[in-house]
Amino acid sequence: MNVNHDMRVMREETFGPVAPIMVFDTDDEAIAIARPWGFDPSAVRVPVRIWHGELDQAVPASMGRHLAARLPHVRATFLPGEAHHVFLERWDEILGEVARLGLPEPA
């Protein structure tokens, strides 16, 4: 009981008499994790950048960590003391990083 997304039992398929129980703060959080996305995040082959506030109550940091653990080419930053609208305070930093990474030319 009270497992989290960082635990192996939540990341890998388990065979045997195991029933991990995860506690969610909101129904929306449980639905977002349980709802099929239509693709496997581990199949994403492009670089992904995540900025996430540790105090985010709309999308808990545990959800960001769960996603970051499943994406193969991710760089994630979790910001203590920041909440859901982290981009408002970090706009220059985020855009600067996007500009440095560059965008591929359209085909």
Side-chain angles (χ1 to χ4, degrees):
M1 182 154 163
N2 203 21
V3 298
N4 64 52
H5 292 294
D6 298 327
M7 295 178 175
R8 185 176 174 189
V9 69
M10 293 303 290
R11 293 188 320 261
E12 299 176 9
E13 188 172 3
T14 305
F15 297 96
V18 176
I21 298 171
M22 181 175 284
V23 177
F24 295 98
D25 292 327
T26 67
D27 290 344
D28 288 337
E29 182 182 357
I31 290 166
I33 295 297
R35 180 181 297 147
W37 290 14
F39 68 96
D40 181 354
S42 68
V44 173
R45 298 293 173 235
V46 297
V48 175
R49 185 66 171 91
I50 295 174
W51 285 269
H52 202 116
E54 291 282 353
L55 301 178
D56 192 336
Q57 293 180 7
V59 182
S62 62
M63 292 178 73
R65 285 190 182 84
H66 171 73
L67 185 58
R70 297 188 65 205
L71 290 162
H73 306 288
V74 67
R75 183 169 155 229
T77 301
F78 294 90
L79 302 158
E82 304 218 23
H84 186 68
H85 296 290
V86 67
F87 65 92
L88 294 174
E89 294 295 322
R90 304 274 182 158
W91 194 245
D92 289 340
E93 177 185 348
I94 292 168
L95 286 180
E97 187 164 334
V98 169
R100 283 189 300 278
L101 292 174
L103 296 175
E105 292 294 321

